[in-house]
Amino acid sequence: MTDNELKELVAGLAVSQAKTDEQMARTDAKFAETEAQMKRTDATLERVGIRLGNIADNNGSNAEDYFYNSLLDKPELGGIGYDTIVKNFIPKSKCGQGEFDIVMYNGENIALIECKYKAHKSDVEKLITKQVESFKKLFPIYANHKFYLGIASFSFYPELEQFAKENGVAILKQKGEVVEIVADNLKAY
């Protein structure tokens, strides 16, 4: 290879290197732009997730309020009357912590009712396999009481109702147009 050919090769390589450097700079800029967009997208998704979580919490609270208010005047489950009813019971003890949507008690029996806006089989399974044991662990004094379980929801699918029935779990659901209207202090405007 002659000196001229070598110089032309080096010059060509320098031009190619310059083009490569230019392309890499454009690629780096695009990567930076994409990274900034991804951060904005992540922030947006986080806000959406928080909002969806709040909606789910509100729906759960609505279900708890509805079924608690429905049972308040006549705390009964499966023909068994109860003296005490408590909503959103979150006990803490040295044995741990639990959360029970509705608890009813009459001295011999305890009813645990799980409230869901839309119930699923896993909710009934958890109620059966975990909630009773959790309550007994938190309150050993009630370990020998009879426990009755209920799943309360605005929405059931037939297989879920069947599963609950087969496992002796009461089903509490909204029916018809049951609405209490409190208007003792109604005022015309």
Side-chain angles (χ1 to χ4, degrees):
M1 184 172 278
T2 66
D3 279 348
N4 277 345
E5 289 175 335
L6 189 56
K7 286 180 185 180
E8 283 179 26
L9 179 63
V10 170
L13 288 174
V15 169
S16 292
Q17 182 64 43
K19 287 180 182 178
T20 300
D21 290 346
E22 184 180 310
Q23 182 60 41
M24 290 200 57
R26 284 195 302 268
T27 300
D28 288 346
K30 287 289 185 191
F31 276 135
E33 186 180 309
T34 300
E35 187 175 341
Q37 179 60 46
M38 288 177 71
K39 285 182 182 179
R40 290 190 299 272
T41 300
D42 287 347
T44 300
L45 288 173
E46 184 175 336
R47 287 192 306 274
V48 168
I50 289 169
R51 286 185 183 139
L52 288 175
N54 290 340
I55 290 170
D57 289 346
N58 287 342
N59 284 342
S61 292
N62 287 341
E64 284 179 26
D65 287 344
Y66 177 84
F67 290 105
Y68 173 79
N69 290 333
S70 297
L71 291 166
L72 190 57
D73 290 335
K74 190 177 179 185
E76 185 179 292
L77 187 67
I80 301 169
Y82 294 88
D83 305 318
T84 304
I85 181 171
V86 179
K87 176 179 77 163
N88 200 21
F89 185 49
I90 305 175
K92 294 179 186 177
S93 78
K94 62 184 176 186
C95 299
Q97 179 177 339
E99 182 176 349
F100 307 93
D101 294 339
I102 297 175
V103 177
M104 297 191 297
Y105 172 79
N106 71 4
E108 297 175 13
N109 306 301
I110 295 173
L112 301 178
I113 300 172
E114 183 72 16
C115 299
K116 296 294 180 186
Y117 190 81
K118 179 173 176 64
H120 298 280
K121 185 178 179 184
S122 61
D123 299 319
V124 176
E125 290 170 339
K126 178 183 172 194
L127 182 62
I128 294 167
T129 61
K130 294 192 171 131
Q131 292 293 77
V132 173
E133 290 308 312
S134 176
F135 197 94
K136 288 179 178 181
K137 181 180 173 188
L138 289 165
F139 302 103
I141 192 169
Y142 298 114
N144 294 324
H145 283 61
K146 292 179 185 174
F147 283 78
Y148 296 96
L149 307 178
I151 184 76
S153 180
F154 291 131
S155 178
F156 284 92
Y157 50 93
E159 297 84 5
L160 174 59
E161 285 192 41
Q162 186 62 34
F163 179 75
K165 288 176 186 176
E166 288 170 358
N167 285 280
V169 175
I171 298 165
L172 293 82
K173 60 183 176 179
Q174 190 176 21
K175 181 179 179 181
E177 297 179 23
V178 179
V179 175
E180 177 185 9
I181 299 173
V182 178
D184 297 340
N185 60 340
L186 188 62
K187 178 178 172 181
Y189 287 91

